[in-house]
Amino acid sequence: MSKSRRLDPLILRAEERKSAVAKEFAAKTRALAQSEQRLADLLRYSDEYAAVTGNGTTSPALLANREAFRGTLKQAVVVQQRAVEQSRQSAEFERSRLVLAARDVKVLDKLAATYRAEERRVAERIEQRAMDECAARSFGRREEGEPCA
């Protein structure tokens, strides 16, 4: 079995690994987008809630409840900001893994191409040597009229 053919299973495994990492990267990217959308929704809701003012007859208990809810919203925003950052880091990590997996496939492809080129050169040299030997034999047999086999 030639060197280039022996690399085929390795190339196949590297491509499968790259495909799996690409799927994981896509999943992490979707999770990041969802996290960012939740954060945007929370920020919008928080802004809308802060913009709504009471009708002027706000009781101290209602005001306290309102402020407590605003505090809860602020906490939710902070928690979601952390979740977005974690999702971003996770997506970036998967992107790095994808770059490395793609590089592995490329290296193996180049190596196989190099082996195939060397195998072609060897085959051409063997063929050329056979043709040279045939020509040398036929030169000696030219008078006899025997073709080279």
Side-chain angles (χ1 to χ4, degrees):
M1 177 182 267
S2 67
K3 283 184 180 180
S4 64
R5 300 301 269 162
R6 282 185 267 163
L7 284 177
D8 287 347
L10 293 175
I11 292 170
L12 182 62
R13 292 281 322 261
E15 287 173 346
E16 288 171 352
R17 227 178 1 261
K18 178 184 166 191
S19 179
V21 171
K23 287 178 184 177
E24 189 63 29
F25 174 61
K28 298 292 183 177
T29 302
R30 281 191 302 276
L32 173 60
Q34 290 171 347
S35 237
E36 288 174 333
Q37 183 59 48
R38 277 188 235 117
L39 177 60
D41 291 345
L42 270 174
L43 288 170
R44 189 181 79 262
Y45 182 70
S46 180
D47 290 344
E48 289 171 1
Y49 191 80
V52 174
T53 57
N55 57 5
T57 58
T58 305
S59 69
L62 190 58
L63 187 59
N65 282 344
R66 183 174 173 76
E67 287 304 310
F69 185 68
R70 286 181 68 195
T72 301
L73 274 177
K74 285 180 184 179
Q75 269 186 324
V77 166
V78 168
V79 167
Q80 192 59 36
Q81 285 171 333
R82 282 191 211 122
V84 165
E85 186 55 34
Q86 286 175 344
S87 289
R88 185 171 286 121
Q89 289 174 357
S90 183
E92 182 60 29
F93 177 76
E94 290 302 322
R95 187 194 67 75
S96 298
R97 286 185 59 213
L98 180 57
V99 167
L100 291 175
R103 187 180 313 151
D104 288 348
V105 169
K106 188 175 181 179
V107 165
L108 288 172
D109 282 340
K110 280 185 175 184
L111 184 58
T114 301
Y115 284 163
R116 281 191 296 274
E118 179 62 25
E119 289 162 2
R120 272 192 309 273
R121 283 191 295 275
V122 167
E124 288 169 359
R125 281 194 300 253
I126 290 170
E127 185 179 336
Q128 184 64 46
R129 195 172 302 134
M131 288 189 313
D132 290 347
E133 288 174 5
C134 180
R137 280 192 311 249
S138 71
F139 181 74
R141 296 179 191 174
R142 188 178 299 169
E143 295 96 30
E144 299 171 14
E146 292 180 30
C148 186

